[in-house]
Amino acid sequence: MENSSDQKPTIMVTNDDGIDAPGLRSLVRVLVSTNRYVVLVCAPDSEKSAVSHSITWRHPIAARRTNIDGATAYAISGTPVDCTSLGVSQALFPSVPDLVLSGINMGSNCGYHVCYSGTVGGAREAFFYGVPSISMSYNWVGGKSSIHDYTLAAEACLPIIKALLAEIRNQTYPEKCFLNVDMPTDVTNHKGYKLTKQGKSIFKMGWRQVTSETEGGKMLSTMTMETDSAAQTETNTSTALQDHALFKREVKGVHIDDPDSDWQYLQEGYITVTPLAALSNAEADCQAYYKDWLQSVSECVSSSAL
């Protein structure tokens, strides 16, 4: 991953919204326009939102060369994690990229939603392989956001990308984490960069029974419903299959109990920068509780053996 002073750093881009998603295309376009980077793209050939860190295990995946101006790009028949793993393996590209960017996602990835996110999964996989990475998400709000906001979001992240590459070149990059960056809805008037921690915010979801797969519209990666008049018409004329029941997720509300965190600062208009890793250790009080609890279990086992 080391470059001589006259070489351009190599950046590989992936995502979970698919290779044709406007967030990825805007990010690649902005990177290419700087003329500072060699840009590679290795992204899913279709939407793979909320697949977390899932991988393709039982069958081969296909890599199809795709035309994206200024970049070497492949559409992959796999998950975001598959894309990152393949892209840094030197099986598809001749060298390991200096930096992996995953995004720009349609919708924020804060709090507990980091666990569901395929965007974060793509960056986390690079971290597993020792490749520096950033997951990038834009807090899209229907009726307020536009496709052009992805370009503004990508431009707002250029200083972070440039500074991180400098750390990598100087071999001062901290290898024990990767970055999760979320950009506010009004990205043009953002309040600056804010170092945050992962909070506990979550969209509470439930289930309801439906009569067809199209009933109620499509759940977007922004955790909102996209209704479609054609789909509604199909719903009215279709009949449910008799041998099974259909259930669809629905959003019940937002739960936030940790105000000093990524979600809160994002809502205040900051570009949040959150260092993440991959371990899922419980909080210290849980460790203390179960230390005493497990000791009591062991004592019970010893007593019963007498």
Side-chain angles (χ1 to χ4, degrees), residues 91-127:
L92 183 66
F93 301 118
S95 61
V96 179
D98 296 284
L99 179 65
V100 170
L101 303 178
S102 186
I104 298 171
N105 188 64
M106 181 185 186
S108 62
N109 278 305
C110 296
Y112 285 138
H113 283 277
V114 164
C115 301
Y116 295 110
S117 171
T119 302
V120 176
R124 187 190 297 116
E125 183 73 358
F127 167 73

Side-chain angles (χ1 to χ4, degrees), residues 202-259:
I202 189 169
F203 284 87
K204 293 290 187 180
M205 289 183 283
W207 295 88
R208 64 187 178 91
Q209 191 166 358
V210 295
T211 57
S212 81
E213 292 186 358
T214 56
E215 181 180 340
K218 176 186 176 184
M219 175 76 80
L220 300 176
S221 58
T222 55
M223 297 298 169
T224 57
M225 300 303 297
E226 179 185 62
T227 56
D228 185 286
S229 57
Q232 294 298 320
T233 301
E234 181 181 340
T235 298
N236 295 333
T237 59
S238 66
T239 56
L241 297 177
Q242 300 301 312
D243 59 345
H244 65 268
L246 296 175
F247 295 87
K248 180 169 284 189
R249 287 187 181 272
E250 60 180 359
V251 176
K252 295 290 189 179
V254 182
H255 176 69
I256 305 171
D257 65 357
D258 189 359

Side-chain angles (χ1 to χ4, degrees), residues 132-286:
S133 60
I134 309 173
S135 50
M136 307 166 66
S137 303
Y138 167 68
N139 190 31
W140 178 281
V141 174
K144 293 183 179 180
S145 301
S146 70
I147 297 301
H148 180 60
D149 289 326
Y150 288 117
T151 299
L152 299 175
E155 291 171 346
C157 282
L158 283 177
I160 293 176
I161 294 168
K162 181 181 178 181
L164 200 63
L165 284 166
E167 298 294 326
I168 295 167
R169 182 177 61 251
N170 296 332
Q171 298 184 353
T172 52
Y173 173 80
E175 298 180 352
K176 295 181 179 180
C177 65
F178 64 98
L179 295 182
N180 183 40
V181 175
D182 282 273
M183 287 150 282
T185 306
D186 186 8
V187 67
T188 303
N189 298 306
H190 71 83
K191 294 181 179 179
Y193 305 122
K194 186 76 171 181
L195 184 68
T196 61
K197 64 179 181 179
Q198 181 186 356
K200 300 176 181 177
S201 60
I202 189 169
F203 284 87
K204 293 290 187 180
M205 289 183 283
W207 295 88
R208 64 187 178 91
Q209 191 166 358
V210 295
T211 57
S212 81
E213 292 186 358
T214 56
E215 181 180 340
K218 176 186 176 184
M219 175 76 80
L220 300 176
S221 58
T222 55
M223 297 298 169
T224 57
M225 300 303 297
E226 179 185 62
T227 56
D228 185 286
S229 57
Q232 294 298 320
T233 301
E234 181 181 340
T235 298
N236 295 333
T237 59
S238 66
T239 56
L241 297 177
Q242 300 301 312
D243 59 345
H244 65 268
L246 296 175
F247 295 87
K248 180 169 284 189
R249 287 187 181 272
E250 60 180 359
V251 176
K252 295 290 189 179
V254 182
H255 176 69
I256 305 171
D257 65 357
D258 189 359
D260 187 24
S261 62
D262 47 5
W263 172 259
Q264 182 63 41
Y265 287 117
L266 179 66
Q267 299 308 302
E268 292 179 8
Y270 291 96
I271 295 177
T272 61
V273 180
T274 309
L276 297 177
L279 299 179
S280 299
N281 292 320
E283 295 181 9
D285 56 345
C286 293

